[in-house]
Amino acid sequence: MRFRLPRPYTILITRTGETPIAIDLRPLPLILMGLFLAAVPVVWVAQLVGHNGKLAAENENLTETANEVLLELETLDSEVEDLRERAGLPENNSSALPPADSPQGGVAGTADAESLFELAKSRMPQIDTKLEAQVRPALESTLAEEAAQAAALPNAKPISGKLEVTSEFGLRRNPFGGSRFEMHNGIDFRGPTGTPIYATADGIVVKAERSGGYGKHVIIDHGYTYETLYAHLSEISLQAGDRVKRGDLVGALGSTGRSSGPHLHYEVHRNGQPVNPRYYLDLEDTLAPQN
Ligand SMILES: [Zn+2]
């Protein structure tokens, strides 16, 4: 008669009042012991294994510690899985323990401290490899991407200090007289000529010139579909092609082009369409608009 290897089976690690965790194993001695001691609480096992009360207590402590280590590992593993998900990697359950509510078969028994520690030791490198070889590189590029995206969001103030809004985004009466309405594609901030104007996000200057109604103006492409425009400047401090960081000097406030007085006309474009800069700016401490 041929000796047949035992089939893989599941051990349940139970702690009073806590959800049991299950581990697939096939160590023969454990199976035999498990068959014999099936359903016997950990304490009883410890008492059987130990030669006296002290040993039994120690063994019980060890078993408990081993259980805790395994639970910690399980938590760590699921955290690594979360990171993996955030990094956009496909789900991988190959090394994960089956969820407690998944169908489980085999003989349920209790495991001794030594086996549990062995199991913990074998699981550590698995988790470590997963983290180092797969999750970390992907996560780093995800974080870099998230940082670049955050840096492209035009959420800084174009003028430092308290901002005085003189005209909001949207339909408004023609500021040069008449009863006709016009679409105002940005927000106007009043200030003294020469006031420094700053880039509201990282990007590349795509236009820095004097032309049309905008007068001296600068357009910055921030990537991720965002562009900003700074118009009616008295001076331009950048030229096309320059790389800028959020807060870099763009120029100075002025009244060039179609302007009724010194102010900054500031626009935010998303996918080529002007959007209300207030979506991105925290303008809580601005003075109320006058129109
Ligand atoms: Zn304007």
Side-chain angles (χ1 to χ4, degrees), residues 172 184 188 263 265:
R172 68 171 182 184
H184 189 225
D188 291 342
H263 75 283
H265 170 87

Side-chain angles (χ1 to χ4, degrees), residues 202-223:
D202 292 10
I204 296 171
V205 177
V206 290
K207 204 183 244 191
E209 62 182 38
R210 176 169 199 157
S211 63
Y214 287 133
K216 286 187 181 175
H217 66 285
V218 170
I219 298 176
I220 300 173
D221 183 352
H222 305 287

Side-chain angles (χ1 to χ4, degrees), residues 17 21 26 43 67 85 102 155 205 215 226 234 238 246 253 261:
I21 60 171
R26 68 162 95 195
V43 181
N67 279 336
E85 209 170 289
S102 71
N155 58 6
V205 177
Y226 289 110
S234 59
L238 302 164
R246 179 181 283 137
L253 189 145

Side-chain angles (χ1 to χ4, degrees), residues 18 44 62-63 71 73 76 81 88 112 114 123 133 137 154 177 191 210 218 226 238 242 265 270 279 285:
E18 285 190 37
W44 293 10
L62 267 180
T63 306
L71 281 172
L73 279 178
L76 183 67
E81 277 302 316
D112 63 85
E114 201 181 335
R123 290 219 48 200
R210 176 169 199 157
V218 170
Y226 289 110
L238 302 164
D242 283 354
H265 170 87
R270 181 115 206 247
Y279 293 154
D285 59 345

